[in-house]
Amino acid sequence: MDLRYDVVTVGRAGVDIYPLQVGVGLEDVSEFGKFLGGTAANVAVAAARHGLRAALVSRTGADPFGRFVHAALRGLGVDDRYVTAVADLPTPVTFCEIFPPDEFPLYFYRRPAAPDMQLTPAELPAELVRGTRVFWTIGSALAEEPSRSAMHSAYAARGRAPLTVLDLDYRPMFWPDRQAASAQLERALEHITVAVGNLDECFTAVGERDPHRAAAALLERGLDLAVVKQGPLGVLAATRDEVVEVPPVPVEVVNGLGAGDAFGGALCAGLLAGRPLADTIRFANAAGAIVASRLECSTAMPTTPEVDAALADAAAGRPVGTTERAARPSPAAAGRDGIAATGTDTDAADGSVAAGVRAHG
């Protein structure tokens, strides 16, 4: 069996329950849509939209929501064979509220424990970890055992091969305290070649909030590429030989959740295509902006032509995504029709939109 993929992501997958009413608190919402969720799932979907062969490694409950996750992944072009069931735990469910342009509170239902935290080395075979061109991991997978040990075993198997990525993904609700997260992120960075995070996540990982110092601190740990997202100030990306600063893409924010995952999938595409670093970051920024302008996430993940069109719109001073939004069904109709989409639990639109959607978590 050919186990080679362009992108393998590891971590959260579940179901997001999104209100179909904007600007309304959950206590007053009367209509919801059910969507594929989880940042690792979303990045895999985003990568697949750019024509990459993508697989997700995660776990769900052995329940209807778990079956929904499998169906949604397959429908969106992601190989789900490495998503396995945990018999006695429910598939995680996440609710959000939508208050544009910059407030999207999330409420995670992952207790008594989340199936995706039950990853063991058996779910991460060495040939899969070594064979993929991009191995995309998330910091929250280090928060609990047995997932933590499984991740470190996978890093050892990978051997710091190129494009071993850590999305720093600091979520305070998943950790006992910031110090515990810092210790695990520091340990993981010994195996990583590319790190991606917002300023607070970089502070958690390396103790620096200034973007230039944060990038330098990440590179000092042996990385090849550090990507620091700065919200309304754009994105800084640095290698040992180059520092690139890219401004955000102006967009009218509908829902910032999922923009960071779109950024991640597009980053994978740009790196694998060998684009210049500045072009890769501009491309990823535009992908994030497109998703921020839409309610849903997985079905909102743009294709390469859509991102190129958004970049052309931005360069010409036109609103990004106006044509695409006009051609798409309304989010409310999509939710009522049960279209598989995703909300996400990623770091919003950091660096992707001029409105500066703040990171949540």
Side-chain angles (χ1 to χ4, degrees), residues 89-268:
L89 292 176
T91 300
V93 175
T94 304
F95 287 83
C96 83
E97 296 176 313
I98 301 175
F99 294 100
D102 60 0
E103 291 197 26
F104 309 99
L106 280 169
Y107 303 90
F108 294 95
Y109 290 79
R110 295 169 57 86
R111 296 300 175 191
D116 55 74
M117 288 295 188
Q118 309 311 305
L119 287 173
T120 70
E123 281 79 45
L124 282 163
E127 61 270 26
L128 174 69
V129 172
R130 294 192 191 109
T132 184
R133 298 171 71 196
V134 177
F135 185 54
W136 184 286
T137 66
I138 60 175
S140 61
L142 302 167
E144 297 178 22
E145 294 288 2
S147 176
R148 177 185 301 155
S149 293
M151 292 309 305
H152 286 298
S153 294
Y155 290 143
R158 180 79 174 170
R160 212 172 202 176
L163 299 184
T164 301
V165 184
L166 179 62
D167 177 349
L168 298 175
D169 184 50
Y170 173 57
R171 309 291 173 136
M173 68 285 292
F174 295 165
W175 296 89
D177 52 48
R178 190 186 293 268
Q179 290 70 30
S182 296
Q184 290 301 321
L185 292 174
E186 280 274 7
R187 181 183 172 195
L189 287 172
E190 298 173 6
H191 305 278
I192 299 302
T193 65
V194 179
V196 182
N198 62 34
L199 291 173
D200 188 61
E201 291 167 338
C202 289
F203 176 75
T204 304
V206 296
E208 297 285 356
R209 288 191 187 276
D210 176 84
H212 288 272
R213 289 199 298 269
L218 288 165
L219 294 175
E220 285 170 4
R221 284 154 175 79
L223 278 69
D224 297 327
L225 172 63
V227 180
V228 182
K229 296 183 284 187
Q230 306 174 70
L233 299 180
V235 178
L236 182 148
T239 68
R240 294 181 187 87
D241 303 316
E242 182 179 13
V243 176
V244 168
E245 294 186 75
V246 174
V249 176
V251 70
E252 181 179 347
V253 175
V254 174
N255 184 0
L257 305 179
D261 299 332
F263 182 102
L267 178 67
C268 292

Side-chain angles (χ1 to χ4, degrees), residues 46-47 49-50 247-249 251 255-270 275 279-294 296-297 300-311 314 320-321 348-353:
R49 296 288 290 204
H50 296 293
V249 176
V251 70
N255 184 0
L257 305 179
D261 299 332
F263 182 102
L267 178 67
C268 292
R275 293 184 179 216
D279 291 348
T280 293
I281 300 303
R282 277 192 287 267
F283 184 80
N285 257 351
I290 289 170
V291 173
S293 71
R294 299 170 176 173
E296 73 275 34
C297 296
M301 295 296 171
T303 63
T304 299
E306 285 182 292
V307 178
D308 289 338
L311 287 168
V320 171
D350 295 307
S352 297
V353 297

